[in-house]
Amino acid sequence: MLIDLMITPIGDWAARALCRIDNDVDPALFDTDPLRSKKSMAIRDAAAKAICARCPVRDACLDYALSYNEPDSVYGGLNPADRRMDRS
């Protein structure tokens, strides 16, 4: 049985994203996990959003997340709940 996986293309912008090029940034900050406490997620979201705020490709990252309806993680300074509100 073959499984057809859709691979979402990430643009050239990703190679310039602070979350990928800054060795001091923990990529786990950007992950969302509904099993974590709200306080823990709020702290992680704030840290991730602070990194996004100074990222040179923030707009492209957010455009990517909105275009592909990314269900998880912080992209372009918005978490999934923020992105849902941004679309309404």
Side-chain angles (χ1 to χ4, degrees):
M1 170 171 71
L2 292 176
I3 298 174
D4 184 24
L5 298 176
M6 183 177 134
I7 298 175
T8 305
I10 294 181
D12 294 339
W13 58 266
R16 298 185 316 278
L18 286 180
C19 61
R20 292 180 176 231
I21 62 173
D22 186 335
N23 292 331
D24 293 329
V25 174
D26 180 4
L29 279 178
F30 298 86
D31 294 336
T32 52
D33 183 351
L35 299 179
R36 291 187 185 273
S37 71
K38 286 185 180 185
K39 181 178 179 180
S40 172
M41 283 308 305
I43 292 168
R44 288 177 58 180
D45 272 5
K49 289 175 179 183
I51 293 165
C52 292
R54 58 188 178 87
C55 183
V57 296
R58 178 182 180 184
D59 291 338
C61 181
L62 181 56
D63 287 345
Y64 163 82
L66 293 172
S67 294
Y68 291 98
N69 201 24
E70 280 293 336
D72 301 309
S73 302
V74 173
Y75 284 89
L78 299 181
N79 65 27
D82 297 333
R83 292 193 300 272
R84 283 191 297 276
M85 287 187 341
D86 188 58
R87 287 197 171 243
S88 26

